[in-house]
Coordinates of all heavy atoms in Angstrom, one line a residue:
G1 N -4.5 20.8 -9.5 CA -4.7 21.1 -8.0 C -4.4 20.0 -7.1 O -4.3 20.1 -5.8
I2 N -3.9 18.8 -7.7 CA -3.4 17.7 -6.8 C -2.0 17.6 -6.7 O -1.2 17.6 -7.7 CB -4.0 16.3 -7.5 CG1 -5.5 16.2 -7.5 CG2 -3.4 15.1 -6.7 CD1 -6.2 16.4 -6.1
D3 N -1.4 17.6 -5.4 CA -0.1 17.7 -5.2 C 0.5 16.3 -4.9 O 1.7 16.0 -5.2 CB 0.1 18.6 -3.9 CG 1.7 18.8 -3.7 OD1 2.3 19.4 -4.5 OD2 2.1 18.3 -2.6
R4 N -0.3 15.4 -4.4 CA 0.3 14.1 -4.0 C -0.8 13.0 -4.2 O -2.0 13.3 -4.1 CB 0.6 14.1 -2.5 CG 1.9 14.8 -2.1 CD 2.1 14.5 -0.6 NE 1.2 15.2 0.3 CZ 1.0 14.8 1.5 NH1 1.6 13.8 2.1 NH2 0.1 15.5 2.3
V5 N -0.4 11.8 -4.6 CA -1.2 10.6 -4.6 C -0.6 9.7 -3.6 O 0.4 9.1 -3.8 CB -1.2 10.0 -6.1 CG1 -2.1 8.8 -6.0 CG2 -1.7 11.0 -7.1
V6 N -1.3 9.5 -2.5 CA -0.9 8.7 -1.4 C -1.5 7.3 -1.6 O -2.7 7.0 -1.8 CB -1.4 9.3 0.0 CG1 -1.1 8.4 1.1 CG2 -0.8 10.6 0.2
V7 N -0.6 6.3 -1.4 CA -1.0 4.8 -1.6 C -1.1 4.3 -0.3 O -0.3 4.3 0.6 CB 0.1 4.1 -2.4 CG1 -0.3 2.7 -2.5 CG2 0.3 4.8 -3.8
V8 N -2.3 3.7 0.1 CA -2.8 3.2 1.3 C -3.1 1.7 1.2 O -3.6 1.2 0.2 CB -4.0 3.9 1.8 CG1 -4.5 3.3 3.0 CG2 -3.6 5.5 1.9
A9 N -2.7 1.0 2.3 CA -3.0 -0.4 2.4 C -4.0 -0.5 3.7 O -3.6 0.1 4.7 CB -1.9 -1.3 2.6
S10 N -5.0 -1.4 3.6 CA -5.9 -1.6 4.9 C -6.2 -3.2 5.0 O -6.1 -3.8 3.8 CB -7.1 -0.7 4.8 OG -7.8 -1.1 3.5
T11 N -6.4 -3.6 6.0 CA -6.6 -5.1 6.2 C -8.1 -5.3 6.5 O -8.8 -4.3 7.0 CB -5.9 -5.6 7.5 OG1 -6.2 -4.8 8.6 CG2 -4.4 -5.6 7.2
D12 N -8.6 -6.5 6.3 CA -9.9 -6.9 6.5 C -10.0 -8.1 7.4 O -9.7 -9.2 6.9 CB -10.6 -7.1 5.1 CG -12.1 -7.6 5.3 OD1 -12.7 -7.3 6.4 OD2 -12.7 -7.9 4.3
G13 N -10.2 -7.9 8.8 CA -10.4 -9.1 9.6 C -9.0 -9.4 10.3 O -8.9 -10.5 10.7
G14 N -8.1 -8.5 10.5 CA -6.9 -8.7 11.2 C -6.0 -7.4 11.2 O -6.4 -6.4 10.8
T15 N -4.8 -7.7 11.6 CA -3.8 -6.6 11.7 C -2.7 -6.8 10.6 O -2.5 -8.1 10.2 CB -3.3 -6.4 13.0 OG1 -2.4 -7.6 13.4 CG2 -4.3 -6.3 14.1
F16 N -1.9 -5.9 10.4 CA -0.8 -6.1 9.5 C 0.4 -6.9 10.1 O 1.3 -7.3 9.3 CB -0.2 -4.7 9.0 CG -1.0 -4.3 7.8 CD1 -1.8 -3.2 7.8 CD2 -0.9 -4.8 6.5 CE1 -2.6 -2.7 6.9 CE2 -1.6 -4.4 5.4 CZ -2.5 -3.2 5.6
G17 N 0.4 -7.0 11.5 CA 1.3 -7.9 12.0 C 1.1 -9.4 11.7 O 1.9 -10.2 11.8
Q18 N -0.1 -9.6 11.1 CA -0.5 -11.0 10.7 C -0.3 -11.2 9.2 O -0.7 -12.2 8.6 CB -2.0 -11.3 11.0 CG -2.3 -11.1 12.5 CD -3.8 -11.3 12.7 OE1 -4.6 -10.3 12.6 NE2 -4.3 -12.4 12.9
V19 N 0.1 -10.2 8.4 CA 0.3 -10.1 7.0 C 1.8 -10.2 6.7 O 2.6 -9.2 6.8 CB -0.3 -8.9 6.4 CG1 -0.1 -8.8 4.8 CG2 -1.7 -8.8 6.8
P20 N 2.2 -11.4 6.2 CA 3.7 -11.5 6.0 C 4.2 -10.9 4.5 O 3.3 -10.9 3.7 CB 4.0 -13.0 6.0 CG 2.7 -13.6 5.6 CD 1.7 -12.7 6.1
G21 N 5.3 -10.5 4.4 CA 5.8 -10.1 3.1 C 5.1 -8.9 2.4 O 4.9 -8.9 1.3
L22 N 4.6 -8.1 3.2 CA 4.0 -6.8 2.7 C 5.0 -5.9 1.9 O 6.0 -5.5 2.6 CB 3.3 -5.9 3.8 CG 2.6 -4.7 3.4 CD1 1.4 -5.1 2.6 CD2 2.1 -3.9 4.7
S23 N 4.7 -5.6 0.8 CA 5.6 -4.7 0.0 C 4.7 -3.8 -1.0 O 3.5 -4.1 -1.3 CB 6.5 -5.5 -0.8 OG 5.9 -6.2 -1.7
I24 N 5.4 -2.8 -1.5 CA 4.8 -2.0 -2.6 C 5.8 -1.8 -3.6 O 6.9 -1.5 -3.4 CB 4.3 -0.6 -2.0 CG1 3.7 0.2 -3.1 CG2 5.5 0.2 -1.3 CD1 3.0 1.6 -2.6
R25 N 5.4 -1.9 -5.0 CA 6.3 -1.7 -6.0 C 5.6 -0.6 -7.0 O 4.3 -0.7 -7.2 CB 6.5 -3.0 -6.8 CG 7.3 -4.0 -6.1 CD 8.0 -5.0 -7.1 NE 7.0 -5.7 -8.0 CZ 7.4 -6.2 -9.2 NH1 8.6 -6.1 -9.5 NH2 6.5 -6.8 -9.8
V26 N 6.4 0.1 -7.6 CA 6.0 1.1 -8.6 C 6.7 0.7 -10.0 O 8.0 0.6 -9.9 CB 6.4 2.6 -8.2 CG1 6.0 3.5 -9.3 CG2 5.8 3.0 -6.9
L27 N 5.9 0.4 -10.9 CA 6.4 -0.1 -12.2 C 6.1 0.9 -13.3 O 4.9 1.5 -13.2 CB 5.9 -1.4 -12.5 CG 5.9 -2.5 -11.4 CD1 5.2 -3.7 -11.9 CD2 7.4 -2.9 -11.2
D28 N 6.9 1.0 -14.3 CA 6.5 1.7 -15.6 C 5.3 1.0 -16.2 O 5.4 -0.1 -16.5 CB 7.7 1.8 -16.4 CG 7.5 2.7 -17.7 OD1 6.3 2.9 -18.1 OD2 8.5 3.2 -18.2
A29 N 4.2 1.7 -16.3 CA 3.0 1.1 -16.9 C 3.3 0.6 -18.3 O 2.7 -0.2 -18.8 CB 1.8 2.1 -16.8

């Protein structure tokens, strides 16, 4: 019944404009 797995990032105490080098990688487990 699940069509998508959405990957989310959230900050604690600031904005993503203050977070350098933000990236996401998908690796073969």
